[in-house]
């Protein structure tokens, strides 16, 4: 099991966001339903924005002389979340988006977003005080993604 520094956790967050973007873009391409495809495109755009925000925060963290390493518990929890994440790279994200019926794929997307909320909840302690609101907003957006996906699933005619 690899252990990550605070900056490394931001790199992982960027990779998760990139995989999420690919997942939603692939899903949007595969869908016939315009409303759900539009939701997926919107979520993909938000994942791209999150990627950029995490990249900036990670770069700033490395430059801060007062940045502290993650505690063992924080690192261990982050590692568990990473290992248990439904997909951690763009190829697995693409495969998941193309497999199963829409209800199953939406269930997967809901779980991925919930996992992201858990993972990102560990980050506010690792950012500069001025960046903490941005991390919290990303967490709030991920929660909105969960709600939007649940609503989309409810709208399916099963």
């Amino acid at each position: 099991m690899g252990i990550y520094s605070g900056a490394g956790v931001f790199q992982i967050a960027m990779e998760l966001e990139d995989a999420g973007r690919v997942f939603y873009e692939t899903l949007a391409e595969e869908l016939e339903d315009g409303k759900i495809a539009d939701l997926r495109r919107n979520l993909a755009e938000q994942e791209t924005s999150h990627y950029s925000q995490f990249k900036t925060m990670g770069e700033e963290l490395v430059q801060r002389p007062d940045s502290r390493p993650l505690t063992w518990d924080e690192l261990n929890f982050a590692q568990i979340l990473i290992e248990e994440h439904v997909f951690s790279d763009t190829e697995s994200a693409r495969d998941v988006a193309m497999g199963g019926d829409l209800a199953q794929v939406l269930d997967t997307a809901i779980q991925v977003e919930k996992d992201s909320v858990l993972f990102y909840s560990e980050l506010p302690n690792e950012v500069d005080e001025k960046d903490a609101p941005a991390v919290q907003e990303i967490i709030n957006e991920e929660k909105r993604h969960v709600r939007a996906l649940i609503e989309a699933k409810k709208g399916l005619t099963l």
Side-chain angles (χ1 to χ4, degrees):
M1 159 172 34
I3 296 296
Y4 301 94
S5 66
V9 171
F10 281 104
Q11 181 62 41
I12 293 161
M14 290 165 47
E15 291 169 12
L16 294 176
E17 291 299 319
D18 195 40
R21 176 192 56 78
V22 168
F23 174 79
Y24 289 126
E25 286 175 350
T26 303
L27 190 56
E29 292 167 4
E30 297 291 312
L31 291 175
E32 300 292 324
D33 183 321
K35 183 177 177 184
I36 293 180
D38 288 345
L39 171 63
R40 299 300 169 263
R41 280 189 282 281
N42 182 283
L43 293 174
E45 289 170 8
Q46 290 180 30
E47 301 295 341
T48 299
S49 172
H50 297 169
Y51 177 97
S52 296
Q53 289 174 294
F54 284 138
K55 182 175 188 222
T56 299
M57 289 176 201
E59 289 168 352
E60 289 174 359
L61 177 69
V62 171
Q63 296 173 4
R64 277 193 354 234
D66 62 337
S67 66
R68 71 168 179 82
L70 296 176
T71 67
W72 187 89
D73 286 338
E74 290 167 335
L75 291 168
N76 192 40
F77 185 68
Q79 182 66 35
I80 289 167
L81 289 176
I82 293 160
E83 289 174 357
E84 295 297 317
H85 208 273
V86 175
F87 50 78
S88 58
D89 60 41
T90 56
E91 191 59 36
S92 62
R94 189 172 287 110
D95 291 344
V96 171
M98 294 175 68
D101 67 24
L102 184 54
Q104 290 173 321
V105 172
L106 288 175
D107 283 338
T108 299
I110 291 165
Q111 188 59 53
V112 166
E113 295 294 346
K114 286 179 179 179
D115 289 347
S116 296
V117 169
L118 286 173
F119 181 76
Y120 298 151
S121 292
E122 296 297 307
L123 295 181
N125 295 331
E126 302 312 312
V127 298
D128 189 86
E129 193 175 284
K130 69 179 178 57
D131 291 328
V135 172
Q136 188 57 53
E137 180 53 30
I138 290 171
I139 292 168
N140 293 342
E141 285 182 10
E142 299 294 338
K143 289 177 180 178
R144 286 191 290 273
H145 293 179
V146 171
R147 287 190 297 274
L149 290 163
I150 288 171
E151 289 302 313
K153 187 174 177 208
K154 285 180 185 177
L156 292 178
T157 52
L158 301 174

